[in-house]
């Protein structure tokens, strides 16, 4: 197997611990949104912020 194929294959497998952390974080953020503790930001607003 070539080195590039080995590296690509290793990147293709998600880490269950990392995946679980992302799930927990997304649930935390969604709950905060539903409770009004954070406000949504449109994609246009994000683009404007990073054009500067």
């Amino acid at each position: 197997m070539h080195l590039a194929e080995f590296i690509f294959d290793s990147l293709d497998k998600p880490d269950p611990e990392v995946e679980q952390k992302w799930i927990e974080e997304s649930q935390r953020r969604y709950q905060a949104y539903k409770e009004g503790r954070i406000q949504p930001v449109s994609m246009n607003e994000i683009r404007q912020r990073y054009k500067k």
Side-chain angles (χ1 to χ4, degrees), residues 16-50:
E17 187 176 329
V18 172
E19 291 294 312
Q20 184 60 39
K21 294 291 184 188
W22 275 114
I23 290 168
E24 292 167 7
E25 180 64 16
S26 65
Q27 290 171 338
R28 184 186 68 77
R29 291 181 188 196
Y30 182 61
Q31 188 64 38
Y33 165 73
K34 288 188 340 182
E35 293 171 359
R37 293 184 286 124
I38 60 173
Q39 299 298 314
V41 178
S42 74
M43 191 62 177
N44 286 337
E45 290 177 80
I46 293 170
R47 287 185 184 125
Q48 290 300 319
R49 288 181 191 177
Y50 291 101

